[in-house]
Structure formats: C-alpha cells, structure tokens
Amino acid sequence: MEPLPTRPFDAPQRPRFWSAVAAVLFLPAALGAAVLTLMSERAGRCLTYGERCGSSLPNQVFAGALVLGLAALVVVQAAPGVRVRRWALAAQLVFEGTALVTILSHA
C-alpha cells in the first residue's frame, strides 16, 4: 500500500498542473490582448476611416510561438523526468508570452 500524500500535489506533478493552467489561461489572455489592440489609435482610424489598415499580425512569429508552445505543452505532460518537465514548462511560458507580445505589438 502506498502512503497517502501529505500535500495536494507531489513535486513531480506540479509542472504538469501549471502547464495545464497556463494553456487554459492563454485563450482569455489572447482575447484580452486583442481587445487592447483594438483600443489603439491605429485600429480606431482603421475602423472609423479605413486608414492604415494594411499591416497585419506577423504571422510567422505568432504561428511559430503557438506551435512551439503547444509542443512544449505536450513535452510537459508526457515527459517522465521532472527536470525535463520544468524546462519544458519554462519554454511553454516563454512561447505563450511571445505570442501575446506579438498580438500586443500589432497595436
């Protein structure tokens, strides 16, 4: 019989938990960043007068950050070693942050 855990999460399970939390919270954060982008002067002029609407989101950076963030999420959830999970969680957070900054830089 295995002993009962004294804490809610054992150390090996924490990166998996925080990785899932970061993945779930990424969508509301991206929507919030998009709303902030729509509040910029450039977006207002585009919506009101149709001026300065030509530039778009840097698709390669955004798509790359999303793909690499998803790959890091898979590694965190599937990796057997705690050290690998921690590094993959750090990479996931960096790539998700890069995607959010890319959205904000569009303003």
Side-chain angles (χ1 to χ4, degrees), residues 10-65:
D10 293 334
Q13 301 303 324
R14 280 191 218 140
R16 287 180 176 161
F17 172 75
W18 289 114
S19 173
V21 168
V24 168
L25 292 178
F26 176 73
L27 184 60
L31 291 174
V35 168
L36 287 176
T37 301
L38 289 175
M39 291 182 189
S40 70
E41 179 186 352
R42 189 173 66 102
R45 292 193 71 78
C46 178
L47 292 173
T48 305
Y49 304 112
E51 298 174 355
R52 292 195 248 170
C53 296
S55 65
S56 65
L57 193 65
N59 292 332
Q60 293 86 4
V61 175
F62 183 70

Side-chain angles (χ1 to χ4, degrees), residues 58-94:
N59 292 332
Q60 293 86 4
V61 175
F62 183 70
L66 285 181
V67 168
L68 291 173
L70 182 62
L73 171 69
V74 170
V75 170
V76 171
Q77 298 300 325
V82 176
R83 178 179 275 177
V84 174
R85 283 189 214 144
R86 288 182 182 156
W87 280 102
L89 175 61
Q92 176 188 353
L93 294 175
V94 166

